[in-house]
């Protein structure tokens, strides 16, 4: 299974971005999915997750109300829509896939990882 994250870039504070994670090798519908991010000098942290059915979603506290995770199984892709971006959102964003019905908010259970896409928010 290969994951390819894209959609990052440079945006001003208050702006928006939509990240995409294209999955190949196996159908994305077989996996629970998540986004994590890592800023320089910090640990990779959970941002958002979505269950295999798409009905279960979870967000890190600062992402609630600003970020929306979704999945398009027909496109073999998941998305992270981000609005009202803050400078603190600057990081490399990674998508991850996990076997099973339910996602997780920690790194360990995820089986596959993408290479990351850089998001830079200027204040």
């Amino acid at each position: 299974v290969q994951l390819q994250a894209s959609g990052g870039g440079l945006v001003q504070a208050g702006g928006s971005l939509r990240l995409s994670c294209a999955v190949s090798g196996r159908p994305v519908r077989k996996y629970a999915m998540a986004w994590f991010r890592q800023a320089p000098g910090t640990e990779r942290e959970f941002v958002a997750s979505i269950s295999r059915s798409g009905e279960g979603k979870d967000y890190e506290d600062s992402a609630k109300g600003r970020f929306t995770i979704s999945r398009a199984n027909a496109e073999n892709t998941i998305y992270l829509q981000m609005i009202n971006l803050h400078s603190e959102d600057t990081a490399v964003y990674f998508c991850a896939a996990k076997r099973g019905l339910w996602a997780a908010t920690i790194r360990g259970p995820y089986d596959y990882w993408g290479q990351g896409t850089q998001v830079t928010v200027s204040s």
Side-chain angles (χ1 to χ4, degrees), residues 42-71:
T42 69
E43 296 288 320
R44 193 171 298 186
E45 65 176 7
F46 170 78
V47 176
S49 65
I50 187 166
S51 65
R52 203 167 76 178
S53 71
E55 295 181 357
K57 299 181 182 181
D58 202 359
Y59 297 93
E60 185 267 333
D61 284 347
S62 72
K64 291 176 182 176
R66 299 189 300 125
F67 294 4
T68 303
I69 189 170
S70 61
R71 62 191 303 147

Side-chain angles (χ1 to χ4, degrees), residues 54-94:
E55 295 181 357
K57 299 181 182 181
D58 202 359
Y59 297 93
E60 185 267 333
D61 284 347
S62 72
K64 291 176 182 176
R66 299 189 300 125
F67 294 4
T68 303
I69 189 170
S70 61
R71 62 191 303 147
N73 289 345
E75 300 169 9
N76 242 29
T77 302
I78 64 163
Y79 299 99
L80 185 68
Q81 178 69 51
M82 306 185 293
I83 65 171
N84 191 21
L85 284 160
H86 306 157
S87 58
E88 299 79 49
D89 297 316
T90 295
V92 178
Y93 283 69
F94 299 87

